[in-house]
Amino acid sequence: MIETKNLSKSFKDIKAVRDVSFRIPTNSITTIAGADGSGKSTIFKMLMGLIKKDAGSIYLKNEDIGSDFNQITRLTGYMPERFSLYPDLRVEENLNFYADIHQVPRSRREKLKQRLLETTGMIQFKNRRARALSGGMKQKLALSSILLSAPELVLLDEPTTGVDPLSRIEFSNIIKDLKQEGKTIFISTPYLDEAENSDHIIFLKEGKIIKKGPMKTIRKQFPARIFSVLPRGNIYEIMDQMHRHPDLKNSIYIRGKFIKYIQVSSKNHLDLLPAISVKEESPKLEDIFLYYERQSTINPEGLHASTD
Amino acid sequence: MQRLKAVIIKEFFHILRDPASLTIVFLMPVLMVSIYGYSISFDLKSIDAGIIDLSGGDLAGQLIKKFANNQYFRIRSLGLSQSNPIETAERLLKSGELKEVIIIPPDFSRKILHHPPAEIGIVIDGSDSNVANLIHQYNEMVIMNFVSEFQNLKDILTINTSILFNPEVKSTFFFIPGIIAIILLMISALLTSLSISRERESGSIDLIFISPLKSHEIIIGKTIPYIFVALLDGILIFLFARFWFHIPFKGNLLVLLIFSLLYILSGLSLGILISSIAPSQKTAMLATLLITLLPSILLSGFIFSLDSMAPVLRSISYLIPATYFLKIIRGVAVKGAELKYFLVDGLIMIVFSALLITLSSIRFSHSREKSK
């Protein structure tokens, strides 16, 4: 559906996006994950033509769009990171405004609006002013607005940041439904648990892609083993000690009351950890991301391998 | 102390990191001092006076010469060749082309020499009470000079002065219409000046940028609703002035409404242009106040007559919409002047609005394109 080649962007001395190339296949969910400031929003804005790219190309349906972003904006519903609708307008008024500026025919609009309000659980709030909505509701309103124009491509920039856990689950279900309807979804998130249902994943660090590919392949080709260790003693003191150990410092992190250990090489260093219990787990996306993130720190130039 | 220091330092950061507002804050006093310095003068540099000489005698010629040679007067003869000089004089006073008309009666010379005193009639436009008083003083100065040449004769001339449009020379008749003009411009510009900068701050401008909306649709769409708000506001201010301050209304209400609409449109367009440039709402508001209030108060003829201004400042005053509307509102309300007298002023206001709207659209399109 959409593809980028060597996309780059700098803000003064800061290289926000560096040589980023990826492909978003049609009718799929592609998630771009990375820490805050890793360049996710900049990529979204470049795709929509809201920020001028310094270098690189953007392809839509295999054709270089050059500087004609109308080709993309016509097909796309873009939801920015920050709630950008009108707080003093009611839910329905916001939807109507968005439908009007996108010239959604009245005959189709009412049905679509009703369905979106029902799907997102917003029907009883349709007369409420947007400023009085909760964070999750605001995001659902923003999503509903962009879906009114029936876009083929849906770009969601951190749609669940600051949203309560229940709304996050609802949001995740809505996104799955959108895929069922045939839409192509490109979503950014700092929460890796949300990305578990994606078809494709892109890991971003400091503006650079550190790993990308189909989710199944990424999981299948994951080269390390993950152990969950219940530590004996104070977890923070143990972590402090272990971080000084050259074999462990890039392989452990805290998850709840457990220490997660990523075994990278054939040699296992679990014996260094004072443990009550040790259990091997199948890797979660978070583990996979942290593994590649740590590897990129150890070997910054060695992680260009793509599983595309 | 540490807490207080923290607040002070934080505020300094806010101030220093908003260069646009900071520029306005420092620019405003410099501009004010410069403009005040050059524009504050109650002296009249030129008085456009019409003369109807019904006498045609030598003495009348001498009196006219006295006025013509005086640096403060610009004399225009409303000779008898014109079909109706009185009607012409009235028209020119209404339109503001003349500030006064001096009428020399047919028996002027004979009366001075044989049956003094002779009488001359002077009609002064009283819509600007300050200017009317000054003209009266300047007239007396010239006439005294004329009379002093007749050393042997005493009490040879009486002046019959009448103040047209404002016989009691009330300053409120002059200032209140001016205040209406200034408030209306400020309100109109403020209404729209925040519209784009607010969207820029909230981020909703991005959704507008990527929508199929054309730049001119956004600009015009943002302007039209405020026309009604500003027009209602204008009517409210005018009714207040009319019934509270008893400002006369001698003209046609429809004429005033038409010109008010044009004036409001230029104010709204100015606000939109400011909004399309200002990076934040605060800057937009400060810039609007600076751009609308300062020149309108000092350079539009609200306080200081355009005739008393330095040529450079007078040229600037013609770029201010309030200059034209002030003339219109004073003309229509106080003098009862008709539509025909202000066609050029109305046309200029239309050009202003069209120019400002076009500039705003270009500026908006530019910032839209710049992001791509």
Side-chain angles (χ1 to χ4, degrees):
Chain A
M1 181 84 177
I2 201 163
E3 191 176 355
T4 71
K5 277 185 187 164
N6 306 107
L7 214 53
S8 294
K9 178 72 192 173
S10 294
F11 297 104
K12 289 183 181 166
D13 297 337
I14 301 163
K15 288 183 175 175
V17 175
R18 295 186 279 181
D19 271 334
V20 165
S21 305
F22 60 83
R23 204 164 56 83
I24 303 167
T26 304
N27 192 23
S28 69
I29 302 174
T30 303
T31 298
I32 186 161
D36 288 342
S38 57
K40 303 186 294 290
S41 294
T42 306
I43 291 173
F44 275 79
K45 286 186 175 176
M46 280 196 284
L47 287 177
M48 294 309 291
L50 289 166
I51 288 180
K52 196 173 180 176
K53 57 185 168 34
D54 292 342
S57 310
I58 297 169
Y59 296 82
L60 180 71
K61 296 181 178 173
N62 299 321
E63 284 203 19
D64 189 343
I65 63 154
S67 57
D68 180 15
F69 285 88
N70 290 338
Q71 292 180 50
I72 292 187
T73 54
R74 257 200 310 270
L75 298 176
T76 309
Y78 164 61
M79 184 176 152
E81 185 183 0
R82 191 161 51 136
F83 177 72
S84 301
L85 293 172
Y86 300 94
D88 51 337
L89 294 192
R90 296 179 200 284
V91 166
E92 197 168 14
E93 289 166 343
N94 266 302
L95 293 174
N96 287 341
F97 172 72
Y98 210 83
D100 278 332
I101 63 171
H102 286 272
Q103 294 164 303
V104 180
R106 289 210 174 257
S107 53
R108 211 178 69 202
R109 179 197 307 184
E110 286 311 312
K111 258 189 205 167
L112 197 57
K113 208 165 67 182
Q114 188 70 15
R115 191 166 68 82
L116 286 165
L117 286 170
E118 277 168 10
T119 317
T120 52
M122 300 269 293
I123 195 85
Q124 71 263 42
F125 303 113
K126 68 175 185 178
N127 290 320
R128 189 176 283 191
R129 291 194 187 205
R131 76 156 61 87
L133 296 173
S134 67
M137 285 291 180
K138 278 182 184 163
Q139 294 302 79
K140 283 180 198 168
L141 170 59
L143 179 65
S144 303
S145 297
I146 64 161
L147 293 176
L148 274 170
S149 58
E152 284 181 41
L153 176 65
V154 180
L155 299 190
L156 308 172
D157 189 8
E158 297 199 20
T160 54
T161 301
V163 170
D164 66 90
L166 195 65
S167 295
R168 279 174 59 190
I169 294 166
E170 285 172 358
F171 228 95
S172 181
N173 291 334
I174 295 169
I175 289 163
K176 275 188 255 174
D177 290 345
L178 289 176
K179 189 195 160 190
Q180 292 296 316
E181 290 170 20
K183 296 195 189 303
T184 304
I185 297 131
F186 184 45
I187 183 168
S188 77
T189 183
Y191 309 122
L192 285 150
D193 55 327
E194 281 180 7
E196 297 276 358
N197 295 317
S198 303
D199 302 305
H200 297 264
I201 187 89
I202 300 162
F203 290 143
L204 203 63
K205 185 188 174 188
E206 292 164 8
K208 231 174 157 180
I209 292 178
I210 51 174
K211 191 71 186 171
K212 64 180 175 184
M215 189 69 92
K216 281 181 190 161
T217 318
I218 293 260
R219 284 186 191 285
K220 207 170 153 187
Q221 293 179 350
F222 184 58
R225 294 168 71 191
I226 302 293
F227 294 90
S228 187
V229 178
L230 182 62
R232 185 186 302 279
N234 185 305
I235 191 167
Y236 299 104
E237 282 173 13
I238 295 168
M239 282 299 283
D240 192 40
Q241 278 177 6
M242 296 302 138
H243 265 148
R244 287 183 218 142
H245 198 289
D247 291 326
L248 284 179
K249 67 176 182 185
N250 285 316
S251 309
I252 51 169
Y253 61 94
I254 294 178
R255 190 54 69 233
K257 58 179 182 179
F258 295 95
I259 294 174
K260 288 270 187 132
Y261 169 67
I262 309 168
Q263 185 189 329
V264 180
S265 58
S266 55
K267 189 160 173 14
N268 186 315
H269 295 98
L270 273 169
D271 54 325
L272 295 168
L273 285 164
I276 296 171
S277 67
V278 176
K279 199 172 98 185
E280 184 167 4
E281 288 180 344
S282 57
K284 291 195 171 60
L285 200 57
E286 193 179 30
D287 304 317
I288 299 171
F289 173 76
L290 280 167
Y291 166 77
Y292 288 114
E293 197 267 341
R294 299 283 160 94
Q295 289 301 303
S296 73
T297 309
I298 299 163
N299 181 14
E301 298 305 316
L303 273 174
H304 291 295
S306 160
T307 49
D308 267 353
Chain B
M1 193 61 195
Q2 192 184 354
R3 294 195 299 265
L4 176 66
K5 197 176 138 195
V7 174
I8 293 169
I9 290 171
K10 179 190 77 77
E11 285 309 311
F12 266 117
F13 281 143
H14 289 319
I15 294 166
L16 294 172
R17 285 169 192 177
D18 184 3
S21 302
L22 207 61
T23 309
I24 292 170
V25 166
F26 286 108
L27 190 68
M28 196 178 318
V30 174
L31 271 176
M32 282 177 88
V33 171
S34 320
I35 297 174
Y36 270 118
Y38 284 109
S39 67
I40 290 186
S41 164
F42 289 106
D43 301 332
L44 285 174
K45 288 198 172 64
S46 75
I47 300 164
D48 289 303
I51 292 201
I52 301 173
D53 181 11
L54 301 170
S55 153
D58 289 347
L59 289 179
Q62 278 181 42
L63 178 63
I64 294 167
K65 215 170 175 183
K66 288 280 174 201
F67 274 102
N69 289 340
N70 189 290
Q71 55 169 325
Y72 296 113
F73 287 90
R74 267 204 312 241
I75 297 300
R76 183 164 165 184
S77 174
L78 307 173
L80 294 170
S81 55
Q82 296 184 38
S83 59
N84 191 341
I86 301 290
E87 202 177 88
T88 310
E90 197 184 321
R91 181 174 55 81
L92 294 172
L93 282 168
K94 264 191 180 179
S95 70
E97 286 176 59
L98 290 182
K99 291 280 181 226
E100 71 167 342
V101 174
I102 301 162
I103 304 157
I104 303 173
D107 55 356
F108 180 75
S109 302
R110 189 179 59 82
K111 275 206 161 182
I112 283 190
L113 295 171
H114 307 294
H115 301 287
E119 190 181 61
I120 59 165
I122 297 180
V123 184
I124 301 174
D125 173 0
S127 59
D128 182 338
S129 52
N130 277 337
V131 169
N133 282 325
L134 281 170
I135 292 173
H136 185 63
Q137 287 169 26
Y138 287 18
N139 286 341
E140 283 192 336
M141 194 174 71
V142 174
I143 288 164
M144 270 174 69
N145 183 260
F146 171 74
V147 169
S148 67
E149 289 179 4
F150 300 86
Q151 287 168 355
N152 303 327
L153 302 171
K154 283 183 181 173
D155 301 325
I156 57 165
L157 193 58
T158 58
I159 311 162
N160 187 359
T161 302
S162 62
I163 307 290
L164 203 63
F165 314 125
N166 182 8
E168 293 169 64
V169 204
K170 281 188 176 174
S171 60
T172 47
F173 286 17
F174 172 69
F175 282 114
I176 300 285
I179 289 167
I180 294 173
I182 284 159
I183 290 176
L184 206 53
L185 183 73
M186 185 193 73
I187 296 277
S188 310
L190 265 182
L191 279 171
T192 45
S193 70
L194 303 180
S195 59
I196 296 175
S197 47
R198 185 168 47 218
E199 297 226 20
R200 196 175 284 128
E201 264 185 17
S202 74
S204 54
I205 200 82
D206 283 352
L207 294 182
I208 298 277
F209 274 168
I210 58 168
S211 76
L213 277 168
K214 302 261 183 294
S215 294
H216 71 270
E217 287 172 338
I218 298 163
I219 299 295
I220 294 170
K222 278 183 171 290
T223 310
I224 287 175
Y226 292 109
I227 292 176
F228 298 101
V229 179
L231 198 59
L232 277 176
D233 213 17
I235 292 170
L236 185 76
I237 300 167
F238 188 76
L239 287 177
F240 186 65
R242 176 81 185 91
F243 296 107
W244 189 262
F245 288 102
H246 307 291
I247 297 305
F249 189 79
K250 296 177 182 165
N252 186 320
L253 188 63
L254 188 67
V255 172
L256 187 63
L257 268 177
I258 292 169
F259 285 114
S260 299
L261 196 68
L262 295 178
Y263 182 57
I264 282 167
L265 199 61
S266 54
L268 294 172
S269 319
L270 180 66
I272 286 277
L273 181 64
I274 293 169
S275 193
S276 66
I277 297 166
S280 69
Q281 293 189 69
K282 193 171 93 182
T283 313
M285 193 180 274
L286 275 171
T288 306
L289 292 176
L290 176 73
I291 292 169
T292 57
L293 283 184
L294 199 64
S296 301
I297 291 174
L298 298 177
L299 301 177
S300 67
F302 168 55
I303 301 173
F304 312 110
S305 168
L306 260 61
D307 296 325
S308 66
M309 283 177 201
V312 179
L313 289 181
R314 201 181 313 157
S315 318
I316 297 171
S317 74
Y318 292 123
L319 300 173
I320 302 166
T323 304
Y324 302 95
F325 189 66
L326 259 170
K327 189 178 153 197
I328 292 166
I329 192 171
R330 281 174 179 156
V332 175
V334 183
K335 298 182 190 178
E338 296 91 22
L339 177 75
K340 62 183 178 187
Y341 295 125
F342 307 114
L343 291 176
V344 175
D345 304 276
L347 191 70
I348 291 170
M349 284 199 286
I350 292 172
V351 172
F352 265 139
S353 307
L355 199 70
L356 291 168
I357 288 273
T358 310
L359 279 175
S360 312
S361 294
I362 292 170
R363 167 74 206 172
F364 194 77
S365 303
H366 180 66
S367 51
R368 203 174 185 174
E369 282 306 311
K370 215 170 93 178
S371 64
K372 291 182 181 176

